[in-house]
Amino acid sequence: MGNSISHKRTKAPSQASKDRPPGMEKARHKQFFSHLKRKKPSALPRKTVTQLKKRCCYVSLDFQGDICDPARHQRACFCLGNGCYVHLGSERFRCPEPLFQPSLLGHPEPGLPTLAFQALQKIPTTLRTRLASTVVLAGGSTLFPGFVERMNLELKEQCRRHGYHALQPCLVAQPGRGTAVWTGGSMMASLHSFRCRWMTRAMYEECGPFLVREVFD
């Protein structure tokens, strides 16, 4: 989810970026992801792709600069388990980038830093500073190396650019955040007071996904 951050970088673009036609990077990014989605007999198993993502991908702190300078690509080699190897370059940081710039895939929604800032804006002024100091990260994608640093940089930039100089966001990134949502959900579901909202498998199979809205709205 998300759009690119609208502020401009102060770093002068390299010659490579000057010579690149408008929209070319978005096209390359879409081509990269469409290649991953292709259904072929030789396609990698989902489990293997997941392991590749976990072991090799990282978030760039300067995406445009890294794209334009191949010398900054941190190359890696991943064993597929069948004796074959995959050699990765810019793919390592291009994969997580849509979390911050979904526009690379043609999605108009705001990026994670923008969504977090918009959430802070909706909080009452009396609570905003306190809650900004405890922005909790959760989910497997937050485990990418560089994610916390990039999120911190862009969220602070959002606050500064919109005149919220008093806000000093502080990210809470616990080691177990990859499964935090599942853990919290399982704890809530185990409460006696929550039993009235339980849905059995039979209920779900009979009524379908819309039952979730019927129960929780």
Side-chain angles (χ1 to χ4, degrees):
M1 52 182 162
N3 273 354
S4 61
I5 303 303
S6 58
H7 70 272
K8 297 180 180 179
R9 299 185 185 279
T10 56
K11 181 179 178 181
S14 67
Q15 187 62 41
S17 63
K18 291 179 182 178
D19 296 337
R20 187 169 293 154
M24 181 177 178
E25 189 52 49
K26 291 185 180 181
R28 291 183 61 196
H29 221 84
K30 288 184 179 180
Q31 183 182 28
F32 167 64
F33 275 90
S34 64
H35 175 72
L36 293 180
K37 295 178 181 178
R38 288 174 188 164
K39 302 291 185 180
K40 292 184 177 182
S42 59
L44 296 176
R46 184 181 182 88
K47 183 177 180 179
T48 301
V49 174
T50 299
Q51 289 301 315
L52 186 152
K53 180 192 75 170
K54 289 181 177 180
R55 297 179 186 178
C56 298
C57 290
Y58 66 93
V59 173
S60 170
L61 299 183
D62 179 11
F63 178 73
Q64 195 59 44
D66 286 344
I67 281 289
C68 295
D69 187 0
R72 291 164 59 173
H73 298 175
Q74 301 176 25
R75 302 191 178 277
C77 186
F78 179 78
C79 179
L80 301 178
N82 57 359
C84 297
Y85 290 83
V86 173
H87 297 272
L88 304 169
S90 65
E91 297 85 358
R92 297 185 66 194
F93 60 86
R94 286 169 63 190
C95 180
E97 185 61 23
L99 293 170
F100 299 87
Q101 298 193 69
S103 57
L104 291 172
L105 298 181
H107 297 296
E109 297 84 2
L112 291 179
T114 301
L115 289 173
F117 175 72
Q118 290 175 350
L120 288 174
Q121 283 183 305
K122 295 177 181 179
I123 296 173
T125 306
T126 54
L127 298 175
R128 190 175 295 151
T129 300
R130 186 171 66 178
L131 292 182
S133 64
T134 53
V135 178
V136 179
L137 300 181
S141 292
T142 68
L143 296 173
F144 283 122
F147 180 94
V148 177
E149 293 82 357
R150 173 79 174 274
M151 184 72 177
N152 185 55
L153 286 173
E154 297 207 3
L155 182 54
K156 286 184 176 179
E157 173 60 19
Q158 286 274 340
C159 294
R160 185 199 64 78
R161 187 161 51 88
H162 289 87
Y164 290 80
H165 301 286
L167 286 184
Q168 295 296 323
C170 181
L171 306 185
V172 179
Q174 297 293 340
R177 63 185 182 276
T179 56
V181 174
W182 183 90
T183 302
S186 64
M187 292 173 64
M188 177 173 286
S190 66
L191 297 175
H192 181 77
S193 58
F194 196 78
R195 291 185 180 182
C196 62
R197 294 183 178 273
W198 282 5
M199 288 182 297
T200 65
R201 180 173 180 176
M203 292 168 61
Y204 184 85
E205 291 178 345
E206 178 182 355
C207 302
F210 86 93
L211 181 62
V212 177
R213 291 188 177 182
E214 290 290 324
V215 173
F216 292 101
D217 282 353

